[in-house]
Amino acid sequence: MDSLMLVGLVLAALYLGSCWLFPFRACWACSGRTKTGDGRGNFRMRRACWLCGGQPYRRFGARLLGRGR
């Protein structure tokens, strides 16, 4: 039981450490894409994503730590 708790604490510390170093990720709704294409090489700008608004998307742990504002 104690070893399972220790593993959980280590994993949580590693996750928060990675959020401290890398606070942003690609938005899950738009995948960070700002342009769309028609398959023939013609691209146009997409409208702003409803979730991220075209801004970098912060990870949950980065929001908890206050990183990436």
Side-chain angles (χ1 to χ4, degrees):
M1 184 69 171
D2 291 333
S3 63
L4 188 61
M5 186 180 298
L6 180 63
V7 169
L9 287 174
V10 168
L11 289 177
L14 287 174
Y15 173 71
L16 290 176
S18 72
C19 288
W20 182 262
L21 291 174
F22 308 106
F24 299 108
R25 62 169 287 218
C27 173
W28 62 267
C30 69
S31 302
R33 291 186 302 257
T34 58
K35 294 188 285 186
T36 185
D38 63 357
R40 293 180 280 174
N42 301 316
F43 290 93
R44 63 179 170 83
M45 296 302 290
R46 293 177 56 156
R47 63 182 172 89
C49 174
W50 62 272
L51 182 63
C52 67
Q55 302 298 315
Y57 188 73
R58 290 191 305 163
R59 296 168 62 185
F60 177 72
R63 283 186 234 139
L64 287 177
L65 295 172
R67 290 278 296 161
R69 286 189 211 172

